[in-house]
Amino acid sequence: MSEVRAVGAAVDPDGDPDERRLAWVYLSRVVQGPCAPLSALIASVGVCEAARAVRERELPTALRGPTAARREMDSAAADVDAIERLGGRVITPDDDEWPSWRMLGLDQLDTERDREAAVPLVLWARGPLSLHTASERAVAVVGSRCSSGYGLQVASEIACDLAGRGWTIVSGAAFGIDAAAHRAALAVGGATVAVLACGVDRPYPAQHDRLLAAIADSGLVVSEYPPGISAQKHQFLARNRLIATLGDGVLVVEAGLRSGARNTVKWARRLGRPAMAVPGPVGSASSAGCHRMIRDGEAVLVTRADDVVDEAGPLRLPVTDGNPAEPGADLRGAEAEIYAALPVIGSRLPRELSQQSGLDLATVRAVLPSLELAQLVGCDSDGWFRTSRRQAS
Amino acid sequence: MSEVRAVGAAVDPDGDPDERRLAWVYLSRVVQGPCAPLSALIASVGVCEAARAVRERELPTALRGPTAARREMDSAAADVDAIERLGGRVITPDDDEWPSWRMLGLDQLDTERDREAAVPLVLWARGPLSLHTASERAVAVVGSRCSSGYGLQVASEIACDLAGRGWTIVSGAAFGIDAAAHRAALAVGGATVAVLACGVDRPYPAQHDRLLAAIADSGLVVSEYPPGISAQKHQFLARNRLIATLGDGVLVVEAGLRSGARNTVKWARRLGRPAMAVPGPVGSASSAGCHRMIRDGEAVLVTRADDVVDEAGPLRLPVTDGNPAEPGADLRGAEAEIYAALPVIGSRLPRELSQQSGLDLATVRAVLPSLELAQLVGCDSDGWFRTSRRQAS
């Protein structure tokens, strides 16, 4: 991770490490969850200055609301003590363990449209695994809480197989598919990460306290919510984005038509991660969501671990800093401008590329095919993308 | 069908109706199955003259081999008598019952590369249904001979539902899925067409003689092979092309990895018909071919009759003769040339459009997006196509 700037952190640290850590923790407690305007402020002025501004209410309008309720409650030192007493830790963007390259995806989402699309401020964690190492080769396995015996069996088989090959299983510790995936990884001594929508001191669901303890024993339980925070409905949606963020892809084993797993898939697609779904008998309500996603092109059909590796395996985010073989480096003129207007992750429509590059639409449409011939860009139903995102590093 | 030229027939009839009928039947017996060079000769000189040329061996080289063995055996009059004694008939491209518009797809395939891609010379038929009417709104339902109980149930349910809504079920009368689909249509008093790889006087498989009799009783049993011909392996592949030809789409309910149903799907894709597949439990070998086709984008996942209607329903082949609202009629210059280079059915790559139109590749690539903006063309993994093929007429 040394080659990549820590996403979420300002380029020039604006305080000593301890001061910065307390600033991150303070802000995490104040906003409790993703807050794009705060992330923007931190990126602009640094975390210590942002903490001071929040305390003293010297804030842009967008931040006054989200910080009003708890800005006077500075329990940062006590929070750090508390998580350490639990055998846990707080992971900030300053830490080596912070998976910066994973967060690149989140960093490029449109946070003006969606405040929850922000990079988390910190992650509260329990467990011996390094988050950076654990998320290096990881797949999110999620699905219905009301899973069938078929779904539990398939989730267990695929998760076992992936964990046995060194893939980390990321999930949400819920009933049904989530729990089957975690247990399968634990059973073969594999790595597994549970991402919670509440504080890591809270076993949720309560019936999974032993499962969560086992995950904290050999894997990792993480949350962006400070200890003591209970699970609220909107927090599950933000949690799903972290599950999608931490994996190379999202696999849905069973999902009803209204399953939360479809929300996780939506995040995966926004982040440019492959979304996969397992089919089942057509009469089974717990496969209806999977079938719908496959039919609508939202997820690729997979039936076994090999398929998952095929989909998620080749995804490597490009490290562009000073890389002499950076794709597109030898482009000139309109080609260079249009290539530069394409995000590292995700896709753009020709119209958007025209707006961003300032070139007219006809030029954009004429140039894209030549970039495609040069194998620098590709096109799918979401628009045009850099092919480098799919090349092995 | 009166608006559409009968595909396979010469524009100007070259003999009286009886003479032409005997010529078609004679040629059908000589080549026994699709024969692109013979179809080309008929299109060029008319069927009576083609029959004379075959009899007298005044033939292009490509036709000498295929006609050598049986050209001296002229049993046409006896063949017509025989099929009529069976209560059947021979349907030629001259007959109102000939589904010309269905054959348009076959007519546009590359017969130089694949001799079997030809339009059939005649169809031998038994049953009260008009082939033209029966194929007006029809779906091919095919699948594994070694089907599971699950597959039989799903095939029955979907075929029942489609037949009940007035869709004709086209299939191959084989064991397993085929038979379940025919039976389901018969059970609800719906229309069903069995396409055989042998003469219509031969029950194949023999165990289905009662099923075939029931189909001939209320539906239609058809074959391009004359009476008396037994089923040979290569004839099944040619038969699969007819199954795909006669429907608005092909639905595969269960298929192993090496199932013949994948061959039918290949034909559907070549013909520009939607290919659909039903998923099943991931551990079931009889769903493995369906899963593979869905995963590889060869077939769309469907779970019920509604999905099939969504996929197959909107497909209407455009009738272009003298239609004042013909799409693309107001195009000029390169746009008009590129639009004209696109086939009515099927797709072309920009390279192929460049070759066909004589315009350079850069121009083709620059013009296609503007045609797309005008909603005249679309693009998928097979290349560019006219959107008119998907508009309801």
Side-chain angles (χ1 to χ4, degrees):
Chain A
M1 82 147 250
S2 55
E3 309 93 20
V4 185
R5 173 173 78 82
V7 173
V11 179
D12 298 313
D14 64 339
D16 71 50
D18 286 345
E19 190 188 345
R20 287 174 59 80
R21 173 165 304 264
L22 290 174
W24 284 115
V25 172
Y26 161 71
L27 292 172
S28 164
R29 175 68 74 182
V30 169
V31 294
Q32 290 182 8
C35 180
L38 181 53
S39 292
L41 180 66
I42 295 170
S44 150
V45 302
V47 68
C48 292
E49 174 58 19
R52 192 201 57 75
V54 167
R55 276 193 196 92
E56 298 176 11
R57 209 165 156 71
E58 291 172 5
L59 291 170
T61 322
L63 264 173
R64 295 188 173 234
T67 59
R70 286 177 297 268
R71 70 183 177 84
E72 290 175 358
M73 174 173 68
D74 190 348
S75 57
D79 277 341
V80 171
D81 279 354
I83 188 79
E84 285 175 357
R85 272 199 309 276
L86 282 166
R89 62 196 182 278
V90 59
I91 307 171
T92 81
D94 295 333
D95 293 320
D96 285 347
E97 190 182 352
W98 186 257
S100 303
W101 65 288
R102 282 278 176 223
M103 302 298 180
L104 278 170
L106 273 179
D107 200 36
Q108 301 209 353
L109 294 183
D110 181 357
T111 50
E112 297 215 354
R113 207 176 51 182
D114 179 358
R115 305 162 67 96
E116 292 200 332
V119 173
L121 297 178
V122 308
L123 289 168
W124 306 80
R126 294 173 64 192
L129 284 188
S130 145
L131 181 58
H132 185 267
T133 311
S135 61
E136 253 177 7
R137 210 157 63 117
V139 174
V141 180
V142 297
S144 179
R145 288 187 301 265
C146 309
S147 49
S148 72
Y150 164 76
L152 294 176
Q153 188 189 331
V154 174
S156 303
E157 279 175 11
I158 295 181
C160 251
D161 203 349
L162 289 169
R165 298 194 211 177
W167 288 74
T168 299
I169 305 299
V170 180
S171 195
F175 292 121
I177 301 300
D178 285 20
H182 287 303
R183 287 194 182 107
L186 291 173
V188 294
T192 191
V193 176
V195 187
L196 303 187
C198 55
V200 292
D201 58 328
R202 303 245 155 168
Y204 185 94
Q207 295 91 327
H208 281 172
D209 56 348
R210 288 179 63 182
L211 174 63
L212 285 163
I215 296 170
D217 226 39
S218 70
L220 204 53
V221 177
V222 299
S223 172
E224 66 186 311
Y225 300 98
I229 302 295
S230 59
Q232 305 285 331
K233 197 172 176 191
H234 74 277
Q235 293 169 197
F236 285 95
L237 302 180
R239 186 277 306 263
N240 293 345
R241 119 191 168 286
L242 275 190
I243 289 179
T245 300
L246 291 177
D248 287 294
V250 169
L251 170 65
V252 184
V253 175
E254 277 193 325
L257 287 174
R258 295 166 184 281
S259 168
R262 295 185 70 185
N263 173 255
T264 312
V265 158
K266 198 194 76 181
W267 282 111
R269 290 169 53 80
R270 289 182 70 182
L271 292 163
R273 310 274 203 274
M276 300 159 271
V278 173
V282 296
S284 166
S286 34
S287 284
C290 290
H291 293 154
R292 173 76 63 86
M293 289 187 285
I294 295 167
R295 179 162 157 66
D296 292 351
E298 291 169 13
V300 173
L301 181 150
V302 295
T303 62
R304 53 196 181 134
D306 279 346
D307 295 343
V308 176
V309 172
D310 281 352
E311 291 297 319
L315 180 70
R316 291 285 179 274
L317 302 179
V319 176
T320 51
D321 257 2
N323 185 335
E326 186 177 342
D330 51 349
L331 294 174
R332 296 286 173 272
E335 291 190 339
E337 286 173 60
I338 291 168
Y339 187 79
L342 282 166
V344 175
I345 296 166
S347 304
R348 291 283 182 277
L349 298 171
R351 180 173 38 78
E352 296 167 329
L353 290 171
S354 166
Q355 286 162 0
Q356 184 148 353
S357 66
L359 297 166
D360 63 63
L361 189 57
T363 306
V364 171
R365 284 185 172 270
V367 166
L368 282 169
S370 64
L371 292 174
E372 188 180 21
L373 277 179
Q375 303 190 327
L376 287 167
V377 308
C379 179
D380 63 15
S381 58
D382 291 322
W384 293 83
F385 54 82
R386 295 191 185 187
T387 52
S388 54
R389 74 166 192 199
R390 291 205 167 264
Q391 284 169 355
S393 62
Chain B
M1 87 143 245
S2 56
E3 311 96 70
V4 185
R5 172 173 77 81
V7 173
V11 180
D12 298 313
D14 62 340
D16 71 51
D18 287 345
E19 190 187 343
R20 288 174 58 79
R21 172 166 306 264
L22 291 173
W24 284 117
V25 171
Y26 162 71
L27 292 172
S28 165
R29 174 69 73 183
V30 169
V31 294
Q32 290 183 7
C35 179
L38 181 55
S39 293
L41 181 67
I42 295 169
S44 149
V45 302
V47 67
C48 293
E49 174 58 19
R52 191 200 58 76
V54 168
R55 274 192 196 94
E56 298 176 11
R57 210 166 155 70
E58 291 172 6
L59 291 169
T61 321
L63 263 172
R64 294 188 175 233
T67 59
R70 286 178 297 267
R71 70 183 177 85
E72 291 175 358
M73 174 175 67
D74 190 347
S75 58
D79 277 339
V80 171
D81 279 355
I83 188 80
E84 285 175 357
R85 271 199 309 275
L86 282 166
R89 62 196 181 276
V90 58
I91 307 170
T92 81
D94 295 333
D95 293 321
D96 284 347
E97 190 182 351
W98 186 257
S100 303
W101 65 289
R102 282 280 176 222
M103 301 299 180
L104 278 171
L106 272 179
D107 199 36
Q108 300 208 356
L109 293 183
D110 181 357
T111 50
E112 296 215 354
R113 207 178 51 183
D114 179 359
R115 304 163 68 96
E116 293 200 332
V119 173
L121 296 177
V122 308
L123 289 168
W124 304 80
R126 293 173 65 192
L129 283 189
S130 145
L131 182 58
H132 185 267
T133 311
S135 61
E136 254 177 6
R137 210 158 60 117
V139 174
V141 179
V142 297
S144 179
R145 288 187 300 266
C146 310
S147 48
S148 72
Y150 164 76
L152 294 176
Q153 188 189 333
V154 174
S156 303
E157 279 174 10
I158 296 181
C160 250
D161 202 349
L162 289 169
R165 299 194 211 179
W167 287 76
T168 299
I169 304 299
V170 180
S171 194
F175 291 122
I177 300 299
D178 284 20
H182 287 303
R183 287 194 182 106
L186 292 173
V188 294
T192 191
V193 176
V195 186
L196 303 188
C198 56
V200 293
D201 58 328
R202 302 246 155 167
Y204 186 93
Q207 294 90 328
H208 282 172
D209 57 348
R210 289 178 63 182
L211 173 62
L212 285 162
I215 296 171
D217 226 39
S218 71
L220 204 53
V221 177
V222 299
S223 171
E224 67 186 310
Y225 300 98
I229 302 294
S230 60
Q232 306 284 331
K233 196 171 176 191
H234 74 276
Q235 293 170 197
F236 285 94
L237 302 180
R239 186 277 305 264
N240 293 345
R241 120 190 166 287
L242 275 189
I243 290 179
T245 301
L246 291 176
D248 287 293
V250 168
L251 169 65
V252 184
V253 176
E254 276 194 323
L257 286 174
R258 294 168 184 280
S259 168
R262 296 186 70 185
N263 173 255
T264 313
V265 159
K266 196 194 77 180
W267 281 111
R269 290 168 55 79
R270 290 183 69 182
L271 292 163
R273 311 275 203 273
M276 300 158 271
V278 173
V282 296
S284 166
S286 34
S287 284
C290 290
H291 293 153
R292 172 77 62 85
M293 289 187 285
I294 295 166
R295 178 161 156 67
D296 292 350
E298 291 169 15
V300 173
L301 181 151
V302 296
T303 62
R304 52 196 181 134
D306 279 345
D307 294 344
V308 175
V309 172
D310 282 352
E311 291 297 320
L315 180 71
R316 291 287 180 274
L317 302 179
V319 175
T320 50
D321 257 2
N323 184 335
E326 186 177 341
D330 50 350
L331 294 174
R332 295 288 172 269
E335 290 189 340
E337 286 173 61
I338 291 168
Y339 187 79
L342 282 166
V344 174
I345 295 167
S347 304
R348 290 285 182 277
L349 298 173
R351 178 173 39 78
E352 296 167 327
L353 290 171
S354 165
Q355 286 162 1
Q356 184 149 354
S357 66
L359 298 167
D360 63 64
L361 188 57
T363 306
V364 171
R365 285 186 171 269
V367 165
L368 283 169
S370 65
L371 292 173
E372 188 181 21
L373 276 179
Q375 302 190 328
L376 287 166
V377 307
C379 179
D380 63 15
S381 58
D382 291 324
W384 294 82
F385 53 83
R386 295 189 185 189
T387 52
S388 55
R389 75 167 191 200
R390 293 208 164 262
Q391 285 168 353
S393 61

